[in-house]
Amino acid sequence: MEKELYDFKCALEATIVAKQKAGTIKDFYDMAEFTEQEQLIKDYIVKNGVKFFVTHPIGDHEFQTNNGVFRQRVPNLTQELFIDFKLFETLVRSHLNDGYTIMKISFRQITDSTISESSKMMSEKNQLFLKSKKEYLYITLSFHVEPETEAKPAKHYFVFNLDTYYEVNPNDLEDIVGTSLGRVLTSASSDAYVANCIRYDLILVKQYIDRIHMYLEGCLRKNVVRLDFIPCIGKKVRFMDGSLKESIYLATMPSDNNKQLLSADFPYYDQGSLEP
């Protein structure tokens, strides 16, 4: 796996980041005529992936609107959700190296039975955290190949807001649909729909990690400690049929060692599609 973005330049990235945050990157990409400098930017985008640079970033206004919808319609449903950046990178790179191609983040309601099964392997600190999440939305991380095989089964983890990761049996986890939190989220959607999970192309998640290293850490000398996953409600694409559904989704933003979002220097991202 190559870590470098092709033809990476800090100044060029800064120009692209500004357009992504302003929500104008697609309009720029679709222009009919370009200056010499603009053509360099477009060539860089094409070489490194139109989805990654044009489709996946969320403009600040769209993020603020959709996060506001979530907070207005389902107040007090969630506390902050985050993952240690090093833990996340370790899991992504190791599963990519092992041949996994899909990552999923699943919405969960923590129950007593979930805690009972999981607590056998957890530290007391992490057990107490899970117990504190019983009234709030939680998420789990998993890695997949398609089609799934006995030799390479899906791997599911508790890792969000924890200081390490724990592999869990998916049979001990309940889909959000059908739970009391799932019914609240379904009611909050104008389409009466809630996604069980968000599906990601793992190689593009790895590219996201690389961009954080190269731009935030390399160019701007920021210290990235964790990734925040911020709930929003908005129209997003379903993987199975390409239709648009209003649903909860997650916008990501790196944070520093002071737990401050680095949103002044980096775009919000939504790399996923809704399932089912």
Side-chain angles (χ1 to χ4, degrees), residues 118-134:
S118 304
S119 63
K120 300 170 185 176
M121 57 184 171
M122 286 189 172
S123 68
E124 183 178 357
K125 174 185 174 183
N126 289 332
Q127 287 180 43
L128 290 172
F129 168 77
L130 273 189
K131 289 178 182 178
S132 75
K133 279 292 182 182
K134 284 175 58 178

Side-chain angles (χ1 to χ4, degrees), residues 82-94 141 143 159 162-165 209 212-213 217 223-227 255:
F82 63 87
I83 188 169
D84 179 272
F85 184 53
K86 289 182 180 178
L87 282 180
F88 185 63
E89 181 172 14
T90 296
L91 286 167
V92 167
R93 292 190 186 279
S94 65
L141 185 67
F143 297 90
V159 63
L162 306 180
D163 55 17
T164 188
Y165 56 85
I209 291 170
I212 289 172
H213 280 306
E217 295 181 332
N223 183 20
V224 178
V225 171
R226 73 185 202 185
L227 292 179
S255 295

Side-chain angles (χ1 to χ4, degrees), residues 18-274:
K19 294 181 184 300
Q20 290 168 331
K21 291 182 64 57
T24 59
I25 189 68
K26 188 177 187 305
D27 290 339
F28 168 81
Y29 181 79
D30 290 338
M31 289 192 316
E33 297 182 1
F34 296 87
T35 65
E36 183 177 346
Q37 179 61 27
E38 289 170 342
Q39 189 63 52
L40 286 175
I41 295 172
K42 182 170 183 178
D43 291 345
Y44 176 81
I45 290 172
V46 171
K47 191 174 291 186
N48 286 290
V50 175
K51 275 188 178 181
F52 182 70
F53 278 98
V54 178
T55 308
H56 292 164
I58 307 170
D60 287 2
H61 178 72
E62 179 182 350
F63 165 75
Q64 291 161 3
T65 299
N66 289 351
N67 178 245
V69 171
F70 177 86
R71 288 186 286 108
Q72 180 183 37
R73 294 185 188 175
V74 282
N76 305 318
L77 187 65
T78 184
Q79 296 174 324
E80 61 180 8
L81 295 166
F82 63 87
I83 188 169
D84 179 272
F85 184 53
K86 289 182 180 178
L87 282 180
F88 185 63
E89 181 172 14
T90 296
L91 286 167
V92 167
R93 292 190 186 279
S94 65
H95 286 85
L96 200 52
N97 284 332
D98 288 342
Y100 287 83
T101 57
I102 303 297
M103 183 185 90
K104 296 183 182 182
I105 294 178
S106 300
F107 299 107
R108 305 292 186 187
Q109 179 170 359
I110 300 298
T111 63
D112 287 330
S113 61
T114 305
I115 295 169
S116 175
E117 290 298 324
S118 304
S119 63
K120 300 170 185 176
M121 57 184 171
M122 286 189 172
S123 68
E124 183 178 357
K125 174 185 174 183
N126 289 332
Q127 287 180 43
L128 290 172
F129 168 77
L130 273 189
K131 289 178 182 178
S132 75
K133 279 292 182 182
K134 284 175 58 178
E135 302 300 322
Y136 299 99
L137 182 69
Y138 190 58
I139 50 180
T140 57
L141 185 67
S142 60
F143 297 90
H144 307 256
V145 293
E146 294 182 340
E148 188 174 321
T149 66
E150 288 187 12
K152 202 177 291 293
K155 299 283 189 176
H156 295 257
Y157 298 94
F158 280 141
V159 63
F160 287 93
N161 299 60
L162 306 180
D163 55 17
T164 188
Y165 56 85
Y166 301 93
E167 187 171 355
V168 293
N169 185 336
N171 294 326
D172 297 331
L173 303 173
E174 187 177 1
D175 289 340
I176 196 69
V177 174
T179 67
S180 59
L181 289 184
R183 289 189 287 273
V184 170
L185 289 168
T186 300
S187 298
S189 163
S190 62
D191 293 318
Y193 170 85
V194 62
N196 272 328
C197 67
I198 311 295
R199 172 196 174 100
Y200 302 80
D201 185 335
L202 193 54
I203 194 66
L204 294 181
V205 176
K206 177 250 178 203
Q207 191 176 11
Y208 176 75
I209 291 170
D210 292 344
R211 193 183 192 202
I212 289 172
H213 280 306
M214 297 175 72
Y215 183 64
L216 284 177
E217 295 181 332
C219 297
L220 304 185
R221 299 292 189 265
K222 300 293 184 179
N223 183 20
V224 178
V225 171
R226 73 185 202 185
L227 292 179
D228 283 64
F229 287 75
I230 307 168
C232 299
I233 288 178
K235 289 280 189 179
K236 293 295 171 179
V237 175
R238 290 179 75 195
F239 176 77
M240 65 182 298
D241 59 10
S243 63
L244 287 173
K245 291 288 187 181
E246 186 179 70
S247 174
I248 183 174
Y249 72 94
L250 299 169
T252 56
M253 178 59 69
S255 295
D256 64 15
N257 53 321
N258 294 316
K259 302 180 182 179
Q260 293 297 310
L261 295 176
L262 297 173
S263 53
D265 302 300
F266 206 65
Y268 292 93
Y269 259 83
D270 166 32
Q271 290 188 284
S273 52
L274 308 174

